[in-house]
Amino acid sequence: AHKITPKNNPVSLDITSSGALGAVTDGKDVLVFEGKTGSVRRTLSGHLADVDCVKFFPSSKVLLTGGSDMCIKIWSIEDGTCPVTLKGHKRGITALDMVDRGKQVVSSSLDGTIKVWLCGTQECLTTISPQSGAINHIQILEHDKSVSSKLVMSATETGKLTVHSIEDTNTLLSQYQHSSELTSCTAFSQHLMVAGSSTGDVITLDIRNCSQPVSVHKRSNSAVTSARLPHVTEVWCGQKDGECYTLNSDTTLQSDTTLSDTTLSGGNCEEIYSVIAKDGVISTSTRDRIIRRYEV
């Protein structure tokens, strides 16, 4: 475990693909730290309000951040400069993703919109409005993030999970309505999606037919705060009550809602804000301000 000791709750965490570096929010700032030791390498300051999401570019040399100040910033990890600030959302940024290795950035907001940005020109190419209230989380569906994917799914406060084309803003490819707020989402395969809810449900859906879930799993009534996919065979879930566990592709297709495959310990029932799964290492950020690393 790494005691990063931010002054504020570490609400968002990301780790580079190699595991060498991590980034975690600290109020208006972002701490960039060594992945193995937890030593803080750099503090990024520039947002005017709390930073709510962080995401490394595939190169691991650039970091994307979004905040309650409605701004998206692109940072150089090497020198700490911020050459690009993207503005256009009317409320705070809730999630970030990218396509084509970062040439395009995708953002979601409490204003209920998804925006697609061209980094080179800082232009907003597309605005998608699912008409489902605040958007809590988004993800590009294809695992390789290729520009040909052009699909984004969103989890919303009204309990809708939507899949849109980011080339055609009028194209709603799929939609599912849950009974409670959806707090997170991730892609499981080309056709399967997983969403977490505010009441502890982990819902598996088939994009080709979202009228009924493939399965619904529930460990407790505590909100699923994070769902991450390290590869196409399992998904890791973190909950507000401190539970962190995995479901594999076989489990998600079974009707036994109590099943889980691996459960991590050490969080002392502290709320989990983020779960990051990379190459056999699971990293979590929790309310006690500790970044934990598990080898699984």
Side-chain angles (χ1 to χ4, degrees):
H2 300 325
K3 189 75 172 181
I4 305 297
T5 62
K7 298 177 182 178
N8 302 275
N9 287 334
V11 297
S12 183
L13 168 73
D14 198 20
I15 306 293
T16 60
S17 56
S18 67
L21 289 176
V24 66
T25 59
D26 183 11
K28 298 178 183 179
D29 299 331
V30 175
L31 307 180
V32 179
F33 60 91
E34 301 288 342
K36 293 186 177 180
T37 66
S39 175
V40 176
R41 175 186 286 192
R42 188 181 301 280
T43 299
L44 305 177
S45 302
H47 280 279
L48 301 179
D50 286 352
V51 184
D52 296 312
C53 42
V54 297
K55 189 173 184 66
F56 280 103
F57 278 64
S59 68
S60 302
K61 297 179 180 179
V62 181
L63 184 70
L64 189 63
T65 63
S68 297
D69 58 0
M70 302 173 287
C71 292
I72 301 156
K73 290 182 177 290
I74 300 177
W75 305 83
S76 167
I77 296 301
E78 295 181 339
D79 61 16
T81 59
C82 176
V84 175
T85 298
L86 305 173
K87 298 181 180 180
H89 281 293
K90 296 180 180 179
R91 292 185 65 190
I93 313 301
T94 56
L96 300 163
D97 208 343
M98 58 193 70
V99 294
D100 198 21
R101 298 189 63 81
K103 289 183 180 180
Q104 294 180 10
V105 165
V106 186
S107 59
S108 64
S109 169
L110 294 172
D111 66 14
T113 66
I114 301 167
K115 290 184 180 291
V116 183
W117 310 82
L118 186 60
C119 293
T121 63
Q122 303 180 35
E123 175 188 4
C124 179
L125 299 175
T126 301
T127 298
I128 301 169
S129 300
Q131 305 297 320
S132 302
I135 299 173
N136 292 323
H137 197 74
I138 55 168
Q139 186 176 328
I140 299 298
L141 275 172
E142 292 291 336
H143 300 299
D144 62 3
K145 302 293 190 293
S146 65
V147 73
S148 60
S149 306
K150 297 294 186 182
L151 299 179
V152 59
M153 65 173 166
S154 62
T156 72
E157 68 171 354
T158 59
K160 285 184 180 179
L161 187 138
T162 65
V163 179
H164 283 84
S165 165
I166 57 177
E167 288 185 310
D168 182 357
T169 58
N170 295 317
T171 301
L172 174 62
L173 298 178
S174 192
Q175 179 174 277
Y176 165 73
Q177 179 66 60
H178 195 58
S179 58
S180 59
E181 179 178 3
L182 294 182
T183 52
S184 58
C185 60
T186 190
F188 214 170
S189 67
Q190 185 177 1
H191 300 298
L192 292 181
M193 306 174 292
V194 173
S197 83
S198 60
T199 52
D201 300 312
V202 179
I203 309 112
T204 303
L205 298 156
D206 191 321
I207 189 175
R208 296 165 296 185
N209 181 11
C210 279
S211 59
Q212 293 293 329
V214 175
S215 66
V216 179
H217 294 262
K218 190 183 188 83
R219 290 288 295 266
S220 70
N221 291 323
S222 182
V224 178
T225 54
S226 183
R228 290 292 185 271
L229 188 83
H231 45 71
V232 296
T233 61
E234 63 184 12
V235 60
W236 281 89
C237 302
Q239 296 197 173
K240 195 171 183 178
D241 62 2
E243 286 273 3
C244 186
Y245 57 91
T246 180
L247 300 171
N248 66 34
S249 55
D250 292 332
T251 303
T252 59
L253 296 177
Q254 296 183 40
S255 58
D256 186 344
T257 60
T258 63
L259 287 173
S260 65
D261 301 296
T262 303
T263 301
L264 303 180
S265 61
N268 297 322
C269 298
E270 295 285 353
E271 177 178 355
I272 294 175
Y273 294 120
S274 292
V275 178
I276 302 297
K278 299 275 181 76
D279 294 330
V281 176
I282 309 301
S283 302
T284 64
S285 65
T286 51
R287 190 172 55 185
D288 58 8
R289 302 177 186 176
I290 295 177
I291 309 300
R292 291 178 172 83
R293 298 176 72 250
Y294 303 86
E295 293 185 3
V296 294

